Amino acid sequence: MNRWFHMERALAHRPTGDMHLRADPATDDVRRRMTVAFAALFIGLMAVATLEGFWPGGAGAAIAIVLLIACMVVAPVGMAVLSRPVLRDIDQLGRENARLRELYGRAREDALLDGLTGLGNHRGFQEELVRQLEHAERTGSALALLLVDVDDLKRVNDERGHASGDRLLAAVGEIVQSSLHRADRAFRVGDDEFAILLPGSDVDDGLTIARRLLAGALKGGDPSHPVDPFSLSIGVSAFPSPSSQGSQLYRHADAALYWCKRHGRTNAAAFDPGRHGVTTDDRSIEDVTEAISAVLAGEMLRPVYQPIFSLTTGEPVGYEGLIRPTDGAPIADASALFAAAERTDRTVELDFACLKVVAEGVGQLEPNVYLSVNLSPRTLESELFHPRELRAIFERRGINPSQLVVELTEREEVDDLDGLRRNAAACREAGIRLAADDVGAGNAGLRLLSEIQFDIVKIDLSLVQGGILHDPAHAVLRALQELASRWQATTVAEGVETAEQLAAIRELGITTGQGYLLGRPSRDRRVKRIDIDSLLAQAWVELVDDPAA
C-alpha cells in the first residue's frame, strides 16, 4: 500500500487534486453571462431589423433584408471577434485558479500528513475526530477509537540513535496500514503516539484491531522491512458504548491506555467504567489542578490499613498503608486522585503528603510487624527524594526504619533508571526494605525485578484471582516463588478472596497473603490473629452453600 493510497484513505472526505482540475464554476458563470448578453443583443438587432422592414412606416423590405443579413452574419462575427480576447483571458484565469486550488489542496493534504509514517498528523486527527463524532451522533452509528503508545521508544533513541527510532515508527505505520479497513483512519499524534478511528465499529471490533496491531509489533513488523520485535500499549473505547457521550471518547480511550502502561505495557485494554472510573471526570486540566491543590492544601486525605498475614501462623506480619480522600474532597476516589496527580505532574507532592498521613495514623507498631507504603517510581527517581527525609517522616512517629517497607508501583513509566537504582540502594542502606508491587500484571514489576534487588515480592491479584487453579498461572507463581527464594525475599499473594485461592497459594509454598478473605482495609489498624484452618473450612462451607457459586 503506497503513501498516496493511504493519503486517500486518511483524507478521503476532502477533494483531491484531480477534482480541482475540473472547470472552474466562476469562469463558467462568466461565459454564460457573456453568451446571454450577446444573445440578447443579437435578438434585439433582429427585432429592430424586422420592425424597420415590415412595420408600417418602416424603412422598407429591401432595407429590412439587408439589416437581417447583417444581423445574421456580421453581428455574430463581430461579437466573436470582440469576445475572443475576453474569453481567452477568462480561460487563462480559470486555469490559474484551478492550478492554485490544486496547489492549495495538495498543501493542505501535506499539512495533515505525517511525513515519516504517511499517516495523518495531530491536526488531521483533531479535524477527523470532530467530523466522525458529529456523523456518529447524528446518525446513531458506532465509532471506535484506539490510542496506541510505542513502548520504550525513548530507550531505542537513546541506545541506538534516532535513525533506529524513526525506523521503528515507520514500522508502526506499516503495521497500522496493513491492519485497517479502507474506511478506517490512522494518525500519528505525538512522538510515540498514534490514534486510529474505526467508523461503524464497536469496542469489540476495536479490540480485535488492537490485538492485530500488537501481534504485528511482537513479530517485528513487515517481513520486507523487519525491525526488532517491539511492544505497544493500546487503549480502546467506542461511542455510544462504553462512551455514551462523544466528548468522552478520547478521554476514555486515554484512560484505558494509561491503565495498560501502568500495568506493564505490551497490552490492549478496552475502557471499563469500573476499572477506569477516573475518566468520568470530564474536568479541564485547570479544574483538575485546582482540585488537587484543594486536596493537598486542605489535607483532605485519610489513612486505612490492610493487614498482611502469615499463612502458616495466622499472625499479622505487616500492614499496607493506603489513602482515601475524605468526605467532601473534590476528588472522591483514590485511583482518580493519583491519576489526576499524574495528569498535573504532582505525583511526587502527593506521594509525600500520603506518607505523612499514613505515618500519622498508624500508631506504635508491634515488634516484628512492618508498615508498607506505596511510592511511584517517579517519586523514587526524583531529585527531590532522599531516604533521610523518608526516615524522618516515620521516625518522628516512633517507627524504626527496619519496620518500614517501600512498595514500588509502576503507575508511571521509569524515566531515570539510574536515579531509581541509586535511590533504591540508598533506601536499603538506610535500613528500609523494598517491595516489588503488582508483579505478574502484564509486565508490571517484572522490569523492576531485573534492575533492583527487592526484599518482598507482591504477586498481583490478577494472577491470584484470575487463574490460580490453572497450570499456566501455577507455573508463573512457582517461578516467582523460586526467584524470591533465591533472593531470600518474602512472597506476598495479594487479592486473596476465596478459599480456593488460599488453598492454592499455600500449596505453592507462598506463606504470606493479604486480601478481603483475610482482612479488609480499615481505619483501625490493630487486628488479631486469624485461624487459617478455621477460616479455610468456613469459607468452603459458604462456597458450597452459596447457590450462585
Side-chain angles (χ1 to χ4, degrees), residues 287-301:
D287 291 338
V288 172
T289 300
E290 183 178 345
I292 283 287
S293 298
V295 169
L296 294 173
E299 299 181 348
M300 298 179 180
L301 301 170

Side-chain angles (χ1 to χ4, degrees), residues 132-187:
Q132 293 276 13
L133 279 174
E134 288 176 350
H135 175 77
E137 291 175 335
R138 184 176 65 253
T139 62
S141 57
L143 175 64
L145 170 63
L146 280 64
L147 295 181
V148 182
D149 192 279
V150 183
D151 297 330
D152 298 326
L153 177 64
K154 181 178 183 298
R155 178 180 58 79
V156 172
N157 283 334
D158 291 344
E159 295 180 359
R160 305 181 188 176
H162 287 274
S164 294
D166 288 347
R167 284 193 294 272
L168 177 59
L169 291 171
V172 175
E174 292 174 355
I175 292 171
V176 168
Q177 292 183 44
S178 64
S179 302
L180 302 183
H181 301 106
R182 186 177 183 85
D184 301 333
R185 304 285 183 264
F187 308 84

Side-chain angles (χ1 to χ4, degrees), residues 420-433:
L420 183 65
R421 289 196 200 99
R422 184 171 55 252
N423 282 335
C427 283
R428 300 189 85 242
E429 290 173 3
I432 300 169
R433 287 179 286 172

